[in-house]
Structure formats: C-alpha cells, structure tokens
Amino acid sequence: MDCPLVFGTAQLGFKYGITNKTGQPDQATAKAIIQTAWENSIHEFDTAQGYGISEQVLGKALSELGIAKEALVISKFDPSINHLNANAMSDALDRSIKRLRVPYLFGMMLHREELLDLWDKGLAEILHGFVSSGRVKFIGVSIYSPERAIEALNTEGIDMVQLPTNILDRRFEKAGVFRLADKKGKIVYIRSIFLQGLILMDVEEIPENMAFAKPVLEKLKSLSTDLGLTRKEMALSYVKSEMPNARVIFGADTPEHIRENLLCWEKKPLPSLGTRVKDLFNHLDERILNPALWPN
C-alpha cells in the first residue's frame, strides 16, 4: 500500500456531510475523482452496501479506468441482513463484488459494532469461510465506542477496525485503542477526520439548531490563527503525527478536493500541534462528537 490515505466513497452514493453544498457527484465527476486519487497513490477505497449507489458508482469508475484488478476495496455488509444466515451473507458479498467489478474484496466489515455479539454464535465461521474462498482478504468491523474497539482488536479473526477520530474526538486515542492495534498488528481505519465537515465550517455558517458547537469552533479558529495553519491542515496533521500507523479515510466532492487534501497531508506537522489540541479539547460534550445526536 503506497499511501496511508484511503478514499471514502459515501459521497458518491448520496449527499453526505454537513458542509456538502454540491450534492452527490455525477458518474463523470466520480470517475474524475477516483482517477485523481489513483494518480496520487491513493489505491485504497472504502464503501458500503448501505451507502446508496456508492458501490455501483465506484465499480463503474474502477472498471472504466482499468484499475479494478489492482484497487484495494473495503465494503461493509448491510446491517439489515440476517448475519447468521450463511446463504444470505454469501449472496450479499457476491453482489458487492459484482457491483464493484473487482476480483475480490481487500476487506469486508460489519457495519454495526453490536453485530460483534453474534461473533461466537456462528458469524465468525461464516466470515472466515469467505476468506477461505478467496473472496475476501481481511475481516473487520466499523466501531462507534472505544470499549467495542478494544473488544474487536482482542478478537481473533478480526483484522481491521474502522472508527471515528479527529482533533475534537479523542476518545479512542485516550482509551489506548491505537496502541493496542499496534501491539496486535491490526489495521485501524480512521473516519470522520473532519467530523462530517463541522471542523471546517466557519462559525457564521453554523445553523441556530447547532449553536452548541459554536464555542468549540471559535477555539479551533483561534488555534488555527495562532499556528498559521488552516483547520484542514490541523485536522490532517494531528492524525498523521499522533496515529502514525493508522489509515486515514477522507471523502471529496471534486478532484480539486483530493488535491487540496493531499497538499495538506504532505505538510510537515508542527511539533506543538498535538500538545495544543490535547490541552484545548480534552473533554467535549458527546453532542458535538456524535453526528447521530445532531438535529436534522
């Protein structure tokens, strides 16, 4: 794997993110985005059966660009499937592989952490059968809580976890999840590095029903000014320096967004950034950290 950045394709399947003003890209734009990512050494792609038409859009782009056999694609099972029905799970996996037009999946994940409750009830056997068949290389789970991340990392047969982390949301970092992953030799995928775009918003843009986030954004703005970095540069630099072995998922609405993120990523992190972030954002209300709790 050439680059620790992973392109997340939720935005290709439906309108995603609090700052998304352009909506879902059309197929031509999606192809241009994927091509720009690929040409800049981003060869890993994250999708899910639940991301609208993301798998189809990604698969068509990979096929037309002639890179479907080389691309490393991770998807996630639709949580509504009966995960203890081996035939239903196998059919769902085959449909993903067909939609994505790839020979196999680099990773296949459970899309809800509570599905770990089924691991010893037959789910582990079903998933390992997919690995044995050559249709999947690694098995993982998408996580929302530090406790479940630790459980997953300690579970034999789970190779990767995906979790939210950013300069505001440091719960997993403080719980030792990244250290444990390194010790176990497992892969961590960080999602929500911009907190669905909230970290990048100007205070004036915040709607009244999100007013509770304004004081935190004021602190971010002040820190950005002090350090001479944009908030995007701070967000990327923080995870790059503090979680050096993690893979980092980001999305984009245009090819320009890909290039912009790459330029930010390539900047050398400031040594003082980590200390300042930890001092300023040590204890935040979960209402800010969890988009599921945001008003519509």
Side-chain angles (χ1 to χ4, degrees):
M1 291 180 282
D2 308 300
C3 173
L5 293 177
V6 179
F7 184 66
T9 66
Q11 283 148 296
L12 304 188
F14 52 78
K15 184 177 179 181
Y16 176 85
I18 194 171
T19 58
N20 187 334
K21 296 181 175 68
T22 58
Q24 179 187 342
D26 60 24
Q27 184 67 46
T29 305
K31 180 181 175 181
I33 292 169
I34 299 297
Q35 182 172 9
T36 302
W38 187 265
E39 289 173 350
N40 285 279
S41 300
I42 299 171
H43 294 168
E44 203 167 345
F45 302 90
D46 175 78
T47 187
Q49 294 174 353
Y51 290 171
I53 59 168
S54 170
E55 285 187 336
Q56 294 96 313
V57 172
L58 175 59
K60 186 175 183 186
L62 294 175
S63 176
E64 290 179 353
L65 292 167
I67 55 177
K69 290 183 179 178
E70 302 167 75
L72 305 177
V73 180
I74 297 167
S75 193
K76 307 171 198 72
F77 285 107
D78 185 330
S80 68
I81 298 169
N82 179 352
H83 280 53
L84 295 181
N85 183 325
N87 289 332
M89 292 286 279
S90 182
D91 289 346
L93 173 61
D94 287 341
R95 286 194 296 271
S96 277
I97 291 172
K98 185 176 181 180
R99 285 191 291 261
L100 289 161
R101 309 190 194 190
V102 292
Y104 68 95
L105 286 175
F106 181 68
M108 193 66 180
M109 292 191 172
L110 306 176
H111 208 156
R112 295 284 184 270
E113 61 182 27
E114 55 268 24
L115 292 165
L116 287 171
D117 295 340
L118 305 177
W119 188 260
D120 293 325
K121 298 178 180 178
L123 181 55
E125 185 179 350
I126 290 170
L127 296 176
H128 293 155
F130 299 155
V131 176
S132 299
S133 72
R135 288 179 286 169
V136 178
K137 188 167 183 181
F138 297 117
I139 297 296
V141 57
S142 182
I143 294 291
Y144 296 87
S145 66
E147 298 76 19
R148 280 291 169 114
I150 290 168
E151 177 188 345
L153 291 171
N154 283 320
T155 299
E156 187 177 349
I158 292 180
D159 311 296
M160 47 176 63
V161 296
Q162 186 184 120
L163 49 83
T165 287
N166 50 65
I167 51 178
L168 300 181
D169 187 355
R170 299 179 43 248
R171 294 170 298 149
F172 294 86
E173 177 190 351
K174 290 191 279 189
V177 169
F178 296 96
R179 289 193 303 273
L180 179 60
D182 290 345
K183 180 181 176 183
K184 295 280 186 179
K186 298 189 176 184
I187 312 171
V188 175
Y189 289 84
I190 296 174
R191 68 173 182 271
S192 203
I193 50 168
F194 304 132
L195 196 50
Q196 292 197 13
L198 181 66
I199 285 170
L200 307 180
M201 289 184 77
D202 290 329
V203 176
E204 298 76 25
E205 292 181 293
I206 299 294
E208 276 310 308
N209 61 3
M210 289 281 290
F212 57 83
K214 289 185 177 182
V216 172
L217 289 184
E218 290 282 11
K219 285 185 180 181
L220 271 176
K221 183 178 179 181
S222 178
L223 181 61
S224 171
T225 302
D226 286 353
L227 297 177
L229 296 172
T230 67
R231 278 173 286 171
K232 181 173 281 192
E233 287 170 344
M234 290 195 305
L236 286 164
S237 290
Y238 184 78
V239 296
K240 181 180 181 180
S241 59
E242 299 297 320
M243 301 98 189
N245 297 321
R247 320 283 297 162
V248 180
I249 300 169
F250 73 97
D253 301 321
T254 65
E256 289 70 30
H257 286 163
I258 296 266
R259 298 186 191 100
E260 185 182 325
N261 284 326
L262 282 162
L263 285 173
C264 293
W265 180 261
E266 287 160 5
K267 280 204 168 189
K268 189 175 180 180
L270 287 179
S272 60
L273 176 63
T275 304
R276 295 288 300 276
V277 166
K278 290 169 188 177
D279 287 344
L280 279 172
F281 309 114
N282 199 26
H283 300 290
L284 291 182
D285 190 330
E286 192 187 351
R287 194 167 51 147
I288 293 172
L289 304 179
N290 186 353
L293 301 178
W294 295 353
N296 290 326

